[in-house]
Amino acid sequence: MNEVKKPRKPLIYYYTIVLIAIILFNFLAVPLITQAKIKEVDYGTFITMTQDKEIGKVEIQAQENQILFTDKKRDPGL
């Protein structure tokens, strides 16, 4: 008797599933991770944190008119 074998799904099917999973991860998880790390504050808050010595590293971006800094809570090496 001849046995009937189930047809195997082509390899492209599995590649498509993995690609969809990676795209969903990039659209959903990555923005949540970066949003938690970056917080926009006004200049007055920056000055207050500087006076209270809560500032870690500071980077001034003159072209974008921005001051990027870390607080000592997140940058304990300073």
Side-chain angles (χ1 to χ4, degrees), residues 1-39:
M1 285 192 199
N2 292 335
E3 291 183 31
V4 177
K5 294 182 180 180
K6 290 184 178 181
R8 293 182 62 193
K9 294 184 180 178
L11 197 56
I12 191 77
Y13 176 77
Y14 297 107
Y15 283 133
T16 305
I17 291 174
V18 170
L19 183 65
I20 290 171
I22 290 172
I23 290 172
L24 286 175
F25 177 77
N26 282 333
F27 279 117
L28 299 175
V30 172
L32 292 175
I33 293 170
T34 57
Q35 186 180 42
K37 292 183 179 182
I38 299 173
K39 181 180 175 185

Side-chain angles (χ1 to χ4, degrees), residues 9-69:
K9 294 184 180 178
L11 197 56
I12 191 77
Y13 176 77
Y14 297 107
Y15 283 133
T16 305
I17 291 174
V18 170
L19 183 65
I20 290 171
I22 290 172
I23 290 172
L24 286 175
F25 177 77
N26 282 333
F27 279 117
L28 299 175
V30 172
L32 292 175
I33 293 170
T34 57
Q35 186 180 42
K37 292 183 179 182
I38 299 173
K39 181 180 175 185
E40 189 171 322
V41 296
D42 60 10
Y43 187 70
T45 304
F46 172 72
I47 294 298
T48 303
M49 290 177 74
T50 304
Q51 291 171 346
D52 295 339
K53 298 183 180 174
E54 297 176 358
I55 301 293
K57 295 179 183 177
V58 177
E59 179 183 334
I60 299 173
Q61 296 181 341
Q63 293 175 341
E64 288 87 18
N65 198 23
Q66 292 181 344
I67 301 172
L68 302 176
F69 65 94

